[in-house]
Amino acid sequence: MYPKIITISREFGSGGRTIGKQVAEKLGFAFYDKELVDKIALTSGLSKEYIEKKGEESTFGNSFLHILAMDTGLNYEVVPLQDQLFTLQSNIIKEIAEKEKCVIVGRCGDYVLRNREDCLKVHIFADDNFKEKRIVELYGEREENPKKRLQKKDKRRKNYYEYYTGQKWGYAHNYDICLNSSILGVEECGQIIIDLIKKKENKG
Amino acid sequence: MYPKIITISREFGSGGRTIGKQVAEKLGFAFYDKELVDKIALTSGLSKEYIEKKGEESTFGNSFLHILAMDTGLNYEVVPLQDQLFTLQSNIIKEIAEKEKCVIVGRCGDYVLRNREDCLKVHIFADDNFKEKRIVELYGEREENPKKRLQKKDKRRKNYYEYYTGQKWGYAHNYDICLNSSILGVEECGQIIIDLIKKKENKG
């Protein structure tokens, strides 16, 4: 079965979003990154700002799966809003995947769609120097130095991923293909994915 | 700089050796797997059997780097033979890499050659079912079931890698590209690497 859904997990500054956009455009697939935020906002009534900030952050402490396994009636009066948000955005991701050919960036897409055989799971990472330079070029200087900004953002993404999936972030086995964009080049990473999908399409 | 050396780290049964051979043949690169064992045997005087068995096994306990950092004069009368073997085979890998275009399978090649910019570091992995089927097809049935054989062999490779490198085995960041051969296909994994090298060669 050829992939009609591509999930892209990415380190901050690695070019994962750019690669996803390139792949979607070249293949004529729908692209979901900020677009996913809009959809979630519309369904949930939550603000885009809240979803952007909390949609890739965990509530920490016990893992989400652990909390679900507990007798929530006794231990938790309400499910924390962030966990509700995770459930909601997972459902939206599943709906999108059911409906159309698409590229989905972040939000544990690989985990949410792990049982779909028509999903190609991509992880994009890069060396620190490359990422530091890239975030300054893209998002400008900040008071905080680029190294700290990277560490902070990736720590949050890592915690979020591990909290909701119970899997190790950046461990090859969670994905089908992992690419170092600082070595291979951002555009070349996109091309590898495009070629792969096209070949699979031709084989049916 | 385009890669003239390719290291292949691989899970047992994932097809990493086959992929390495395919890439070497198509690119006209030298291929080192068993060939490396011959070279090490010739230099060390150790038997091929010993090198095959111990050349990807660690002495466990403390990490190799930790042992090196200690006052070996006081704590160790002799460096364990397996650690000497690791040092020797690392030196041979470095010599080969200096001398010719090549594909090197296993033996922490990615780590040994981590400072070479002309080295492409590949990791091949696969789903358990695929690997179990493949080792039976390739190496026949054994008294021990395929699942146990896989677990045992990969545990040894993992321990060996982590002992000598201080890095986590199978963690994407150690490599430039990681490919799931059970999803992408063994031959297609080889083709991705070949295409990548050819494109880099054309760009100079």
Side-chain angles (χ1 to χ4, degrees):
Chain A
M1 187 180 284
Y2 73 87
K4 66 174 206 64
I5 306 144
I6 301 161
T7 60
I8 299 198
S9 134
R10 77 292 181 222
E11 290 180 351
F12 184 49
S14 69
R17 183 190 145 79
T18 307
I19 291 166
K21 216 170 164 57
Q22 173 196 352
V23 169
E25 278 172 10
K26 288 276 171 65
L27 293 176
F29 282 25
F31 179 66
Y32 287 98
D33 180 20
K34 304 275 180 226
E35 299 71 6
L36 199 58
V37 173
D38 295 345
K39 241 183 151 65
I40 298 163
L42 203 67
T43 314
S44 65
L46 293 166
S47 77
K48 288 185 193 176
E49 292 68 31
Y50 181 86
I51 296 163
E52 281 197 338
K53 195 166 180 311
K54 302 290 184 182
E56 292 196 282
E57 268 182 25
S58 68
T59 43
F60 304 106
N62 286 320
S63 86
F64 182 55
L65 301 176
H66 176 70
I67 290 172
L68 279 184
M70 289 167 75
D71 180 348
T72 53
L74 281 172
N75 295 288
Y76 290 86
E77 288 194 330
V78 287
V79 177
L81 189 55
Q82 277 173 243
D83 293 346
Q84 291 184 49
L85 177 56
F86 178 79
T87 306
L88 176 70
Q89 72 189 17
S90 297
N91 289 338
I92 291 177
I93 288 171
K94 282 179 196 165
E95 270 171 36
I96 292 169
E98 197 54 51
K99 212 180 60 190
E100 60 185 337
K101 293 184 175 184
C102 57
V103 175
I104 295 167
V105 178
R107 290 158 202 277
C108 305
D110 56 277
Y111 178 79
V112 173
L113 301 176
R114 68 194 176 284
N115 293 327
R116 287 195 75 112
E117 283 187 17
D118 57 356
C119 174
L120 183 78
K121 305 189 291 285
V122 179
H123 179 65
I124 306 289
F125 62 100
D127 300 342
D128 285 351
N129 286 347
F130 175 89
K131 292 186 293 185
E132 286 167 25
K133 219 177 130 204
R134 205 165 179 280
I135 60 167
V136 172
E137 277 169 16
L138 279 179
Y139 310 114
E141 297 274 2
R142 295 275 195 288
E143 200 177 319
E144 207 167 36
N145 72 49
K147 194 181 283 301
K148 268 260 179 308
R149 285 163 67 191
L150 279 183
Q151 280 171 353
K152 232 162 131 176
K153 190 101 173 177
D154 274 344
K155 194 176 173 192
R156 263 190 248 136
R157 286 188 184 172
K158 179 178 181 293
N159 284 337
Y160 175 79
Y161 186 84
E162 297 187 353
Y163 175 80
Y164 284 109
T165 70
Q167 298 179 162
K168 290 274 169 217
W169 198 52
Y171 179 61
H173 248 285
N174 306 334
Y175 317 98
D176 301 322
I177 181 165
C178 307
L179 303 168
N180 182 335
S181 58
S182 51
I183 297 292
L184 307 175
V186 169
E187 208 184 313
E188 180 55 29
C189 288
Q191 201 53 52
I192 291 171
I193 303 164
I194 293 163
D195 290 346
L196 204 56
I197 301 282
K198 281 193 175 165
K199 270 192 214 172
K200 294 253 182 197
E201 270 183 351
N202 290 338
K203 281 185 189 163
Chain B
M1 187 180 285
Y2 73 86
K4 68 176 204 61
I5 306 145
I6 301 161
T7 61
I8 300 199
S9 135
R10 78 292 181 221
E11 289 180 349
F12 184 49
S14 69
R17 183 189 147 79
T18 308
I19 292 166
K21 215 169 165 59
Q22 173 196 352
V23 169
E25 278 172 10
K26 289 276 172 63
L27 294 175
F29 282 25
F31 179 65
Y32 287 99
D33 181 21
K34 303 275 179 225
E35 299 72 6
L36 200 59
V37 173
D38 295 344
K39 239 182 152 73
I40 297 163
L42 202 69
T43 314
S44 65
L46 293 167
S47 76
K48 287 185 195 176
E49 291 68 31
Y50 181 86
I51 296 163
E52 280 196 340
K53 194 166 181 317
K54 302 291 185 181
E56 292 196 281
E57 268 183 24
S58 69
T59 44
F60 303 108
N62 286 318
S63 87
F64 183 54
L65 301 176
H66 176 70
I67 291 171
L68 280 184
M70 290 167 75
D71 181 348
T72 52
L74 281 172
N75 296 289
Y76 289 86
E77 288 196 328
V78 287
V79 177
L81 189 55
Q82 275 172 247
D83 292 347
Q84 290 184 50
L85 177 57
F86 178 78
T87 307
L88 176 70
Q89 73 189 17
S90 297
N91 289 338
I92 291 177
I93 288 171
K94 283 179 194 163
E95 270 171 35
I96 292 169
E98 196 54 52
K99 213 181 61 191
E100 59 185 337
K101 292 182 175 183
C102 57
V103 175
I104 296 168
V105 178
R107 289 158 202 278
C108 305
D110 56 277
Y111 177 78
V112 173
L113 301 176
R114 67 194 177 283
N115 294 326
R116 288 194 75 112
E117 283 187 18
D118 57 357
C119 175
L120 183 78
K121 305 190 291 287
V122 180
H123 180 65
I124 306 290
F125 62 100
D127 300 343
D128 285 350
N129 286 346
F130 175 89
K131 293 188 291 183
E132 285 168 26
K133 219 177 132 206
R134 203 164 180 279
I135 62 167
V136 172
E137 276 170 15
L138 280 178
Y139 311 115
E141 296 276 0
R142 295 273 195 289
E143 202 177 318
E144 207 167 37
N145 73 49
K147 195 180 282 300
K148 268 259 177 307
R149 285 162 68 192
L150 279 183
Q151 279 171 351
K152 231 162 133 175
K153 190 98 170 182
D154 274 345
K155 193 175 174 191
R156 265 191 244 132
R157 286 188 184 169
K158 179 178 182 291
N159 284 336
Y160 175 79
Y161 186 84
E162 297 188 353
Y163 175 80
Y164 285 110
T165 70
Q167 298 178 164
K168 290 275 169 216
W169 198 51
Y171 178 60
H173 248 284
N174 305 334
Y175 316 97
D176 301 322
I177 180 164
C178 306
L179 303 168
N180 183 336
S181 59
S182 51
I183 298 293
L184 306 175
V186 169
E187 209 184 311
E188 181 55 30
C189 288
Q191 201 53 51
I192 290 171
I193 302 165
I194 293 164
D195 291 347
L196 205 55
I197 301 283
K198 282 192 176 164
K199 271 193 211 170
K200 293 253 182 198
E201 269 183 353
N202 289 339
K203 283 187 189 163

